[in-house]
Amino acid sequence: MDKQSTEALVNLAARRSIILPAFAPYGELGGFYDYGPIGLRVRNNIENAWRAQFIEGMGNVEIDTTIIGPEIVFEASGHLGNFKDPITVCSKCKTSYRVDKLLEEFFMKKGDKKAAEKAAKLAKIPEFEDMLKDNHIKCEKCGNMLHKVETFNLMLNTKVGPMGGTQGYLRPETAQGIFIDFKNIFRNLGLKLPIGIGQVGKAFRNEISPRRLLIRMREFSQMELEYFFDPEESKLVINNEEVSDKFLKEKVNFITGEQQRANTGMDFEQITLEKGIKEGYIPNKLFAYLMYEAKHFMLNIGFDEKSFRFRQQLTDELPHYSKGNIDVEARHDEGFEELIGIAYRTDFDLKNHEKFSKSDMSIVNGEKKLVPHVVEISFGLDRLFWVLLSNSIHKDKTREWDLLLLNDRIAPYRYAVYPLQKDEKLIEKAMELNKKLNKDGIPTFFSVTGSIGKRYAKSDETGIPNAITVDYQTIEDGTVTVRHASDSKQERLKESEIA
Ligand code: GAP
């Protein structure tokens, strides 16, 4: 079984309408994608796995806050001042490029991984300009030399209300609504620290050059959890229970800031979370615990342990709100892609909202009045979806089509149900079985269209692990064939054995 390239996934996604460029008949607006029926079911399953683990599993709560906010909220959060990327605009044809990504992709194409990693870590405008000049980087559209670099704010704005209205912005992360509502929810629900408040929803960024489908979008979904805690409390309590230090023995694939600066080309080494804290890579125990949960989430949804790592962000890369960031990155194309960001946001956000809104953001936890600190774990849902699919697309020698091998938790349907051929008796029998499975809460994909071979190809390519075929023997003895996508082997089972 060979793993297929992202290019094969792009073709498969188009062929089976897993994702679609938004507004396609009108031409493309970069960075906007729709999900088709299969894609949405897979995305929902990832979201549900997140909810089961990070909300229900940890005794946390979930909220839903607005997408548009007034200007002052994003002044307080620092996004209006700091949320910028380096841009270069071609002086001839006016095409714009995000410079760090342009350089990274330029070196990756040349097979120079070290230079690509160096480019990804640049932070200062003159450094970018020198790299463009030294490598004679040209506009991809017209071939003109690119040289001048500036910064560009990624906030998307809108006007709220008639006659010009007031200035509003589309949120660039779901987190701010959580910070703003925190005190109210904590007090009115009688919560105790530490407590996580989560949110799943859309975020918007006016990306300079949206690229690589769901990797860099302008409208995308996040699943974020803000974990509020007392920084002076050494005991770690999750879901009302003290967590034993055993989890600190967990090994994770890790690359430190120093190892990246040394630019040796290594992917990662295995360290324990305990060592990560001792050496100062991991800011605190709660942070380490969220890394532990993140690792198990990645395994749960189907990533292979060797396919992802934790990367300590370099000081220059740290977002304006952070006192320490570690990303979860998974193998994608030739390198690693950031899927999850874990950040020690301290009391930065609550304190800034306190300052700008002039409302007290402190809470009373037991006897103590404090403004809590926050560790955030932020998941990019679309990237998780896309990179999981790119790690799951395979080809075997016996089949002409691709295979999407997803685990039962994430697969869009557990079973496809196919009558062997277009015969009323078989269709009726298959429909009866299909209805029974649906009634029992088993989701199925029912299809009569095309030859049985073509339908097997369809379920293999859409990540459905099992296909049930109803044939003439089914009518006689109530047995069906169940074909497994992983190895295309078939077995004969009684209808009642299907669960
Ligand atoms: N609240 C923190 C925050 O937003 P981030 O690292 O900027 O942190 C979190 O974003 C996650 O959101 C990333 O790890 C990534 O998976 C996803 N993400 C960020 N920008 C994205 C984009 N333009 N398109 C798709 N996903 C994106």
Side-chain angles (χ1 to χ4, degrees):
M1 192 86 70
D2 296 325
K3 206 173 127 326
Q4 291 286 80
S5 65
T6 308
E7 204 184 327
L9 176 62
V10 173
N11 293 332
L12 170 63
R15 204 160 59 239
R16 300 294 179 194
S17 295
I18 293 176
I19 54 160
L20 307 89
F23 327 112
Y26 291 95
E28 217 183 312
L29 182 62
F32 295 89
Y33 284 89
D34 296 336
Y35 281 73
I38 296 292
L40 184 62
R41 289 189 75 91
V42 172
R43 194 184 79 175
N44 284 345
N45 289 342
I46 297 175
E47 185 181 324
N48 290 336
W50 175 86
R51 191 166 282 116
Q53 187 174 341
F54 288 92
I55 302 295
E56 319 306 352
M58 293 173 75
N60 292 323
V61 295
E62 185 180 353
I63 61 171
D64 183 38
T65 71
T66 66
I67 283 170
I68 296 175
E71 189 162 35
I72 192 165
V73 165
F74 301 108
E75 275 171 15
S77 70
H79 284 97
L80 284 174
N82 300 306
F83 201 47
K84 294 171 185 161
D85 278 333
I87 184 173
T88 184
V89 182
C90 171
S91 57
K92 206 164 155 196
C93 73
K94 306 293 172 222
T95 304
S96 49
Y97 298 92
R98 183 171 155 186
V99 186
D100 52 340
K101 296 294 170 192
L102 179 72
L103 288 165
E104 215 182 315
E105 281 162 23
F106 169 81
F107 289 119
M108 279 312 263
K109 265 191 212 145
K110 276 179 59 176
D112 190 345
K113 200 173 152 199
K114 278 190 185 175
E117 280 172 7
K118 190 173 167 205
K121 282 168 221 144
L122 294 184
K124 300 193 176 79
I125 298 292
E127 290 174 341
F128 285 120
E129 290 183 336
D130 286 350
M131 217 177 205
L132 285 178
K133 200 166 128 212
D134 295 348
N135 293 284
H136 311 286
I137 309 283
K138 293 186 180 129
C139 172
E140 287 172 1
K141 276 226 176 100
C142 73
N144 190 39
M145 290 289 288
L146 298 170
H147 42 86
K148 197 170 163 8
V149 177
E150 295 168 72
T151 53
F152 176 77
N153 191 292
L154 303 186
M155 296 291 290
L156 266 161
N157 59 41
T158 185
K159 293 283 183 193
V160 182
M163 316 296 279
T166 50
Q167 186 63 57
Y169 289 88
L170 278 69
R171 63 184 183 193
E173 57 174 5
T174 68
Q176 293 308 319
I178 301 178
F179 296 126
I180 292 168
D181 289 351
F182 164 68
K183 178 173 174 159
N184 197 308
I185 290 164
F186 187 85
R187 189 183 51 209
N188 292 347
L189 287 185
L191 301 177
K192 280 223 164 64
L193 295 180
I195 183 73
I197 302 187
Q199 166 154 227
V200 180
K202 292 279 190 180
F204 301 81
R205 296 182 188 179
N206 200 6
E207 295 285 353
I208 297 164
S209 33
R211 284 215 180 163
R212 299 166 63 219
L213 290 98
L214 306 196
I215 297 297
R216 212 178 323 144
M217 304 163 82
R218 288 183 167 134
E219 174 175 335
F220 58 98
S221 296
Q222 291 184 320
M223 307 185 288
E224 300 203 285
L225 187 69
E226 308 303 318
Y227 230 106
F228 298 87
F229 70 105
D230 178 352
E232 285 171 2
E233 178 59 66
S234 58
K235 260 198 288 176
L236 177 61
V237 176
I238 302 285
N239 207 359
N240 298 313
E241 224 181 293
E242 187 173 350
V243 179
S244 124
D245 280 354
K246 262 202 305 211
F247 81 90
L248 291 170
K249 303 281 176 219
E250 182 87 5
K251 283 191 175 156
V252 292
N253 301 333
F254 199 84
I255 180 156
T256 68
E258 293 137 45
Q259 285 162 340
Q260 293 163 68
R261 265 188 295 270
N263 221 12
T264 59
M266 74 176 275
D267 285 343
F268 52 76
E269 63 172 343
Q270 280 221 319
I271 65 163
T272 60
L273 292 169
E274 191 171 38
K275 180 172 174 189
I277 293 183
K278 226 187 234 158
E279 305 280 327
Y281 309 134
I282 303 174
N284 54 51
K285 223 191 215 184
L286 174 60
F287 197 115
Y289 186 75
L290 291 173
M291 287 173 66
Y292 171 87
E293 290 284 351
K295 173 181 166 177
H296 289 278
F297 176 75
M298 292 291 283
L299 297 175
N300 257 341
I301 64 171
F303 280 97
D304 182 87
E305 178 146 16
K306 285 191 225 83
S307 70
F308 65 96
R309 69 178 182 187
F310 290 84
R311 183 182 74 84
Q312 183 189 23
Q313 278 197 9
L314 303 168
T315 326
D316 282 347
E317 283 179 272
L318 285 181
H320 57 277
Y321 49 73
S322 178
K323 277 257 160 30
N325 259 62
I326 291 174
D327 293 335
V328 179
E329 300 185 329
R331 291 188 196 279
H332 182 62
D333 292 338
E334 300 309 312
F336 281 90
E337 199 60 59
E338 175 198 333
L339 308 184
I340 304 172
I342 312 176
Y344 181 23
R345 294 183 79 130
T346 66
D347 55 5
F348 176 91
D349 301 273
L350 289 177
K351 281 271 171 71
N352 272 349
H353 286 304
E354 187 167 75
K355 189 168 133 203
F356 279 77
S357 69
K358 300 188 177 63
S359 323
D360 176 15
M361 288 286 170
S362 60
I363 46 117
V364 179
N365 186 52
E367 304 291 291
K368 189 172 170 187
K369 189 165 185 268
L370 77 157
V371 175
H373 277 212
V374 171
V375 176
E376 169 190 78
I377 180 158
S378 173
F379 299 72
L381 180 51
D382 310 276
R383 279 195 200 171
L384 274 165
F385 165 87
W386 190 241
V387 176
L388 177 62
L389 259 51
S390 84
N391 276 264
S392 309
I393 181 168
H394 292 83
K395 183 118 191 163
D396 80 6
K397 291 184 184 67
T398 62
R399 286 175 267 191
E400 282 161 21
W401 52 87
D402 295 315
L403 296 173
L404 210 50
L405 295 177
L406 301 171
N407 71 27
D408 285 356
R409 199 173 282 117
I410 299 305
Y413 297 94
R414 206 186 297 175
Y415 294 104
V417 178
Y418 299 146
L420 181 65
Q421 55 198 51
K422 264 194 188 157
D423 175 324
E424 279 312 314
K425 267 194 247 154
L426 295 182
I427 295 173
E428 199 181 311
K429 183 73 194 150
M431 277 169 65
E432 193 186 295
L433 170 63
N434 192 54
K435 223 178 185 173
K436 183 186 168 299
L437 292 174
N438 294 164
K439 259 199 173 152
D440 292 347
I442 300 172
T444 55
F445 176 76
F446 185 85
S447 174
V448 187
T449 321
S451 70
I452 192 70
K454 282 207 169 126
R455 280 177 281 156
Y456 286 155
K458 194 175 351 184
S459 41
D460 285 354
E461 288 201 331
T462 51
I464 304 173
N466 312 293
I468 299 171
T469 306
V470 170
D471 53 22
Y472 293 103
Q473 197 181 329
T474 314
I475 297 171
E476 280 167 27
D477 65 7
T479 62
V480 291
T481 56
V482 178
R483 175 187 172 279
H484 305 290
S486 56
D487 53 10
S488 69
K489 289 213 171 99
Q490 304 198 0
E491 57 182 329
R492 193 95 206 164
L493 292 179
K494 286 190 198 137
E495 282 177 58
S496 56
E497 286 175 316
I498 295 169

